[in-house]
Each structure stands twice: as C-alpha cells, then as structure tokens.
Amino acid sequence: MTADWQWENAVAGSVAGLATVTFSHPLDVVRTRFQVYDGRNPNLPNYKNTPHALFTIARSEGLRGLYAGFLPAVLGSSISWGLYFYFYNSAKQRYMKNQDESSARIHLASAAEAGGLVCLLTNPVWVVKTRLQLQNPQHHGRPYSGLSDAFKTILKDEGWRALYKGLSPGLFLVAHGAIQFTAYEELRKIIVDFRHKQNSSSDSSSDLLTTGDYAALGASSKLAAILATYPFQVIRSRVQQRPSIDGVPRYIDSRHAMEKTARLEGIRGFYRGITANLLKNLPAASITFIVYENVLNLLK
C-alpha cells in the first residue's frame, strides 16, 4: 500500500466507525452502567441483566436514555477509527520499508503506535461520553445538557486534567487494538493464502475474501482482544465517572480503582458488563471490517 492510499484508510475507518456506533449504542450505554456499578453508589440503578437493563432504560428514560452520549460516541468513534486506520497503515508502511512482507511483529508495533496516538487525542471525548451515559433519573445535581455543556462544566468545575481521567488504563487498552489488528491480519493472511492455493488465477486478495470472511475475521479478532483487555475498560469507566455533589471522586486514580474493585468485588468486578460488551462489539466488529474493507475497495 502506497502513501497515496493512506487517506482512503482514514475515510474508510471513519465510515466504519459511524456505522458501528449507530448500530450498537444502546448496548454501549448498558455496558457503561454495568461497568461502574459496585453496589454502593445510590445514583446508579441496579439491573439484573442486559435485557432487563435495556427494557428498564427504555421504559424510564425513553430513546434519549438508550442513546445517551450518542453525539460524543459518534464523534469519538469516527475520529478514532479514522485516525487509527490512518496511523496504523502509515506505521505499517514505515516498518515494512526494508522488508519484503509483513509479520506479526510489524502488525503489533503498528497497532500499538496507532492506539497510543489515538488515545492521547480522543480521551476528553470518552470522558464526556461516559458521563453522559451514566446520567439517569436517580442522578442528583445538575445534569449535563449535552456535549458542549459537559465540556464547559468539566473545565469550569474540575479543570482540564479531568478530561484526561482514565488515560492510564486507556493507554493499557492500546493492547486491545494491537491484539485485534494482529489477530485480524494474521487470520486474514491464512485465509488468503488458503484461497490463493485453491484459486491461483486471482491476484488480488480482495477477490479471494467474501463479506462473510470479513465478518468472521472481525468478530474472532475482537473476541480475543476483549477477553484479554476488558478489566482496563472497567477501570477506565470507573475513574471517568462524575464526582459526587461535594466534588469528591469515587476513585482517586486508576490504582485506587483497581485496589478497591479487587478488594470489594473480586475478579467478577473486573468483568462487569462483559455480556453487553460482547453483544455490542462482536457484531459491531464484523460490521466495522465489512464496511472498512468494502469502502476501501470502492475507493481504490
């Protein structure tokens, strides 16, 4: 892939991210609320399971509740995916200059570099998204009226540092993208090599893969990444939640959140909301890579 095609990766990634968020956002709201629920916060409702959470939110908060934080989610996801695919392919091209073909190490390094840059650039958006998703009828104090109001209020009441809460676990979550993309690329290569042996007349890898292949590759690579990194997502959500009315945060920092979660909830606490997360992300990953690969092929 030449540098001339890097912008196509950014466009394809942004379109893929937008499609993913629109499809899966209600499950993202449920996941976030499960992640921060520790049984000791009166401002957070207790849901029995994912269907019960969806039904309860729909009944008590309506469509607005199911799509709380949708604007920052769309903004963050579109920017993140666009930048991620751009940085990833740019880094991969740079690492491959002196090599004839790609390797797992190149994919891993490229994904880690891209993930770190995206995390630094988009963390404020995810803080706002998390806080908007956690607003509910049981919430006390003045709620944020939207994306702009959330940014202004956070800056006024807590300062710019609050917009970077959860950055540490966010950087650890770079491993998520690295695992996902490495698994995707390696599995993709295996399938392409296998199909190429069966159909040697086709020179293009895109001709050898179907939409079903992209869906399976996206879901399987995402599953591996989720199982390995999910506890960091829980810690990030807990650290990013809004302080109490008196301005005292529930968790001082990521270390405090990890220690408190381990002591009071055990290993189960680090995997709260994983069912909603799997229901959201496995189909979403399939959609993302189907859209990405097809848009990329179309642009080329």
Side-chain angles (χ1 to χ4, degrees):
M1 183 178 296
T2 65
D4 294 338
W5 293 109
Q6 288 176 12
W7 72 270
E8 279 89 343
N9 286 283
V11 173
S14 295
V15 174
L18 177 59
T20 299
V21 172
T22 302
F23 169 79
S24 62
H25 192 76
L27 284 168
D28 190 51
V29 173
V30 170
R31 179 196 63 175
T32 302
R33 293 191 181 187
F34 270 120
Q35 285 177 338
V36 301
Y37 181 79
D38 57 9
R40 298 180 300 279
N41 188 346
N43 293 331
L44 295 175
N46 181 18
Y47 305 116
K48 297 177 182 177
N49 49 47
T50 299
H52 176 248
L54 289 169
F55 176 77
T56 303
I57 294 171
R59 183 181 60 184
S60 61
E61 303 173 52
L63 194 62
R64 172 173 289 190
L66 290 173
Y67 277 87
F70 181 68
L71 182 56
V74 169
L75 181 65
S77 183
S78 298
I79 293 174
S80 294
W81 277 109
L83 291 176
Y84 197 102
F85 280 108
Y86 179 83
F87 289 144
Y88 174 79
N89 284 282
S90 178
K92 186 170 70 171
Q93 180 184 323
R94 187 172 66 254
Y95 291 136
M96 289 174 60
K97 275 185 178 179
N98 299 320
Q99 299 191 34
D100 295 331
E101 59 179 308
S102 61
S103 66
R105 185 172 61 182
I106 289 176
H107 297 317
L108 191 63
S110 301
E113 179 180 318
L117 290 170
V118 170
C119 182
L120 289 170
L121 292 171
T122 61
N123 196 80
V125 180
W126 301 127
V127 170
V128 171
K129 187 209 75 160
T130 297
R131 294 191 175 190
L132 288 174
Q133 288 181 334
L134 293 176
Q135 292 188 154
N136 62 83
Q138 294 175 228
H139 177 79
H140 300 293
R142 189 185 75 81
Y144 302 126
S145 61
L147 175 63
S148 177
D149 180 55
F151 271 115
K152 292 177 182 177
T153 304
I154 292 171
L155 286 171
K156 178 184 177 182
D157 295 345
E158 304 170 62
W160 67 269
R161 290 179 182 273
L163 292 173
Y164 281 89
K165 284 182 177 292
L167 180 61
S168 295
L171 289 173
F172 278 108
L173 280 168
V174 167
H176 182 103
I179 293 169
Q180 181 182 0
F181 269 73
T182 301
Y184 184 87
E185 294 275 12
E186 293 304 306
L187 289 172
R188 188 180 191 277
K189 183 179 178 182
I190 291 172
I191 295 176
V192 168
D193 289 344
F194 177 75
R195 297 276 174 81
H196 189 71
K197 291 178 181 178
Q198 290 184 321
N199 185 14
S200 58
S201 62
S202 179
D203 296 326
S204 173
S205 61
S206 61
D207 295 336
L208 299 173
L209 297 175
T210 65
T211 297
D213 292 328
Y214 295 138
L217 286 169
S220 56
S221 60
K222 190 68 173 180
L223 176 61
I226 288 173
L227 294 177
T229 64
Y230 190 76
F232 294 110
Q233 294 187 35
V234 173
I235 296 303
R236 183 174 66 173
S237 293
R238 294 191 172 197
V239 172
Q240 289 179 342
Q241 62 184 310
R242 193 173 185 176
S244 59
I245 297 177
D246 57 9
V248 178
R250 295 190 59 78
Y251 301 98
I252 300 172
D253 52 28
S254 298
R255 182 177 179 178
H256 180 226
M258 291 181 68
E259 291 175 349
K260 195 172 181 180
T261 301
R263 185 177 73 252
L264 299 176
E265 301 171 67
I267 190 67
R268 184 178 181 181
F270 290 103
Y271 283 89
R272 287 192 179 276
I274 195 169
T275 300
N277 193 68
L278 291 173
L279 290 173
K280 167 188 178 290
N281 282 301
L282 295 189
S286 295
I287 293 172
T288 296
F289 280 98
I290 288 172
V291 174
Y292 170 72
E293 294 282 5
N294 283 284
V295 171
L296 189 59
N297 291 334
L298 179 64
L299 291 172
K300 288 185 177 182

